[in-house]
């Protein structure tokens, strides 16, 4: 069950990225779940971190989402 859940979490991350969602919080939350499921499946959990890093958008941040000083 853990591998299936990890695949579902990865697909959710890919969907967030594909939809253009740039807020980091859902990526980190789903990434934590992904890491836990990969760890529980017996697969090396570092792969979950690599998969998460590949799904987080790294382009320019829209002006309305930038932090203000």
């Amino acid at each position: 069950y853990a591998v299936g859940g990890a695949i579902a979490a990865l697909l959710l991350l890919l969907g967030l990225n594909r939809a253009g969602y740039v807020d980091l919080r859902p990526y980190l939350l789903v990434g934590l779940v992904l890491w836990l499921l990969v760890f529980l499946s017996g697969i090396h959990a570092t792969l979950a971190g690599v998969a998460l890093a590949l799904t987080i958008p790294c382009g320019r941040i829209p002006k309305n989402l930038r932090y203000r000083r």
Side-chain angles (χ1 to χ4, degrees), residues 1-3 5 8 13 15 17-21 24 27 29 32-33 36 38 44-45 47-50 57 61 67 69:
Y1 295 106
V3 174
L13 287 167
N17 186 312
R18 191 87 166 129
Y21 203 77
L24 189 59
Y27 288 99
L29 180 63
L32 180 63
V33 171
L36 180 63
V38 170
H44 203 289
L47 295 175
V50 172
I61 299 173
Y67 292 105
R69 290 183 180 196

Side-chain angles (χ1 to χ4, degrees), residues 31-60:
L32 180 63
V33 171
L34 173 66
W35 184 90
L36 180 63
L37 290 169
V38 170
F39 178 77
L40 292 175
S41 73
I43 302 170
H44 203 289
T46 303
L47 295 175
V50 172
L52 174 62
L54 291 174
T55 61
I56 294 176
C58 62
R60 293 179 179 239

